[in-house]
Amino acid sequence: MDQRSLSDTLATAAVDLTPYETLYKHFHTHPELSLQEKATSETITSHLSQLRAYEIHTNIGGYGVVGVLKNGTGKTILLRADMDALPVKELTGLPYASSVTMSDADGIEKPVMHACGHDMHITCLLAAAEVLARIQNAWTGTLIVLFQPNEERGGGAQAMVDDGLYSKIPMPDYVFGQHVMRMRAGAVGSRPGTIMAAADSMKITLYGRGGHGSQPHQTVDPVLLAAHVVVRLQNIVSREVDPSDLAVVTVGSLQAGQTENIIADRAEIGVDFRSVKLETREKIISAIRRIVEAECLASGSPKPPLFTPTRRFPPTNNDEHVAVQLAASFRDHFEDFDDDTPRTNVSEDFSTLGTSQGLPCSFWFIGGIDPELWDKAQRKETPMEEIPGNHSALNPANDENWGGCFVHRGFDILKKVAIESPWESYPPASTV
């Protein structure tokens, strides 16, 4: 199928995107935290049911939903979207902004927002699912659309696998995913090899000896101890990691005490660190332990610190052969495609869906920033740093540009993998 006939096929199967814009706004207004995506899951299931083409599986690994469309012989392709939101208070002022609050895993009520574009991911995969169901005469094979819970905490993909995902659905030949990023809407970027870093998070509890704020000499102040730790942790990347390597260490939270005139008996630091190489990850972990333990000793801490891992994301590595094949298709179809997009320290658990079974994966980025706003920043008419990115309270997906490219991309994948003969030469998944 040439590019002209692809465009013609999509034109004849054009989907009215107005209901999908409404659906996107619904998801944005009604976000749900990781492990609590019940209503989101039910809405997805309802929409897939209306298409009347998919075998639907629900409640996999939590609230995971999978639709399977069997359309004759050919490759089996899995397309994945994540669906959980973040504990962020939305400040966009949009008419469909979230005002939702939910209790987190610790029972603390928090504001909730789709600040990372998962509402866009869901909506666009649903739109692609409809298009591909309409044009079954143009492709053969099996399509799997997978909606994953609990990506933000890094456990959803593994939970679905552990819950027997691949005993419920056909084993895919290829696994694909995508993420909206702080890029110009319409831009698409990917690369062979590592595209996203591994990520780890941990809570570090530092112990002091509490007392009255007026008598610090009778205490061990965990706030001062924590302050020293935070400053020293910033030296890891700048002084211990090779400058040509990718690494980030971030202290995302520091909590101690309840009031001004009491010295607390403990402090808790939340640390997040990113790496591409396994040896760099081990170096960072070792450095964190060394620094924290040494500062506790220097401060006279009454007992050793407690290290509690909270999240771990694998690196996302694009299969070299698959990435090259997709790049050829994307380059033909999208006006703004970068096949050597820079690696990022953003992390995902997407690849677990493939690597757990030895399946080739590929992941790419798409832009979600209004083109006019982006172009103004490029011309330095607006500061680029004022354009909000992922996880920002000011970062709604750009609903003027969210739809069509995902629909086309979904078809591109099926076209490139399930239809065109060059893919027949690719080794079976079991041998990869």
Side-chain angles (χ1 to χ4, degrees):
M1 180 179 292
D2 60 28
Q3 192 65 32
R4 174 70 179 181
S5 60
L6 167 61
S7 299
D8 290 344
T9 300
L10 289 171
T12 59
V15 170
D16 179 7
L17 293 179
T18 303
Y20 286 99
E21 182 177 345
T22 301
L23 189 61
Y24 160 73
K25 291 179 178 178
H26 169 83
F27 288 130
H28 190 84
T29 305
H30 301 92
E32 294 176 298
L33 290 175
S34 306
L35 303 174
Q36 302 184 56
E37 308 94 336
K38 183 175 185 293
T40 303
S41 174
E42 291 171 348
T43 302
I44 292 167
T45 302
S46 175
H47 187 88
L48 282 178
S49 298
Q50 293 171 20
L51 298 180
R52 301 184 183 279
Y54 290 84
E55 171 191 305
I56 301 173
H57 303 265
T58 60
N59 298 320
I60 303 177
Y63 291 110
V65 179
V66 183
V68 180
L69 173 54
K70 297 178 180 178
N71 189 34
T73 59
K75 299 293 185 181
T76 297
I77 310 304
L78 188 153
L79 309 179
R80 174 270 205 175
D82 40 11
M83 59 185 185
D84 52 334
L86 288 160
V88 174
K89 181 176 177 59
E90 182 161 357
L91 301 176
T92 63
L94 291 167
Y96 54 92
S98 168
S99 59
V100 170
T101 62
M102 299 183 79
S103 295
D104 66 9
D106 298 321
I108 301 172
E109 193 78 6
K110 293 183 177 179
V112 185
M113 176 192 175
H114 269 300
C116 200
H118 295 188
D119 45 355
M120 179 187 284
H121 300 169
I122 302 165
T123 308
C124 295
L125 184 53
L126 288 173
E130 179 176 349
V131 170
L132 291 164
R134 285 190 178 194
I135 57 173
Q136 293 180 61
N137 63 324
W139 61 275
T140 61
T142 298
L143 169 67
I144 301 168
V145 290
L146 183 147
F147 300 85
Q148 180 201 308
N150 193 23
E151 184 277 330
E152 294 293 355
R153 302 304 303 168
Q158 188 65 57
M160 294 188 76
V161 172
D162 292 345
D163 198 22
L165 171 67
Y166 293 118
S167 67
K168 298 176 172 69
I169 67 171
M171 185 69 69
D173 293 293
Y174 309 101
V175 179
F176 296 99
Q178 60 195 5
H179 206 297
V180 61
M181 297 290 276
R182 187 176 176 269
M183 297 159 46
R184 190 181 193 275
V188 182
S190 191
R191 63 178 294 118
T194 303
I195 187 169
M196 289 187 289
D200 294 77
S201 298
M202 67 171 68
K203 296 290 186 183
I204 303 172
T205 304
L206 307 171
Y207 296 98
R209 185 166 55 247
H212 200 289
S214 67
Q215 298 174 318
H217 60 291
Q218 297 178 358
T219 72
V220 174
D221 189 346
V223 174
L224 184 60
L225 166 57
H228 285 299
V229 168
V230 171
V231 171
R232 287 298 300 268
L233 289 178
Q234 306 313 306
N235 293 341
I236 295 174
V237 173
S238 67
R239 290 296 177 270
E240 299 189 40
V241 175
D242 187 327
S244 66
D245 196 3
L246 278 177
V248 172
V249 175
T250 297
V251 177
S253 66
L254 197 168
Q255 299 168 347
Q258 301 296 324
T259 191
E260 299 91 336
N261 64 339
I262 299 175
I263 293 175
D265 65 355
R266 69 184 62 192
E268 186 179 79
I269 300 173
V271 180
D272 179 89
F273 55 97
R274 312 288 170 121
S275 57
V276 171
K277 299 176 182 177
L278 180 60
E279 57 267 32
T280 303
R281 175 181 181 270
E282 296 304 319
K283 178 180 286 188
I284 291 172
I285 292 173
S286 176
I288 290 173
R289 283 189 166 274
R290 185 190 74 239
I291 289 169
V292 171
E293 290 171 354
E295 289 294 348
C296 287
L297 181 63
S299 295
S301 185
K303 61 179 179 177
L306 176 64
F307 300 88
T308 306
T310 54
R311 298 189 306 172
R312 184 176 182 186
F313 292 84
T316 302
N317 298 314
N318 285 344
D319 180 275
E320 299 272 347
H321 185 85
V322 175
V324 169
Q325 293 295 310
L326 283 179
S329 177
F330 287 2
R331 197 177 297 110
D332 287 343
H333 197 65
F334 300 110
E335 293 181 3
D336 186 2
F337 173 66
D338 180 3
D339 63 1
D340 191 28
T341 195
R343 289 180 299 181
T344 175
N345 280 322
V346 170
S347 300
E348 262 271 4
D349 70 341
F350 150 81
S351 62
T352 299
L353 295 171
T355 57
S356 64
Q357 312 300 312
L359 305 173
C361 305
S362 196
F363 198 89
W364 55 87
F365 305 137
I366 60 97
I369 302 299
D370 181 275
E372 183 177 351
L373 177 61
W374 186 264
D375 292 344
K376 283 184 177 179
Q378 290 287 81
R379 297 192 298 265
K380 299 185 179 180
E381 296 173 13
T382 301
M384 182 65 78
E385 58 269 20
E386 292 185 7
I387 297 178
N390 300 61
H391 289 209
S392 167
L394 297 169
N395 183 41
N398 175 28
D399 57 281
E400 296 299 323
N401 295 278
W402 59 267
C405 65
F406 277 80
V407 174
H408 294 174
R409 184 168 304 107
F411 183 79
D412 257 353
I413 292 167
L414 262 293
K415 173 234 180 188
K416 198 67 185 177
V417 178
I419 299 174
E420 294 192 355
S421 58
W423 285 88
E424 298 302 321
S425 63
Y426 195 71
S430 60
T431 66
V432 174

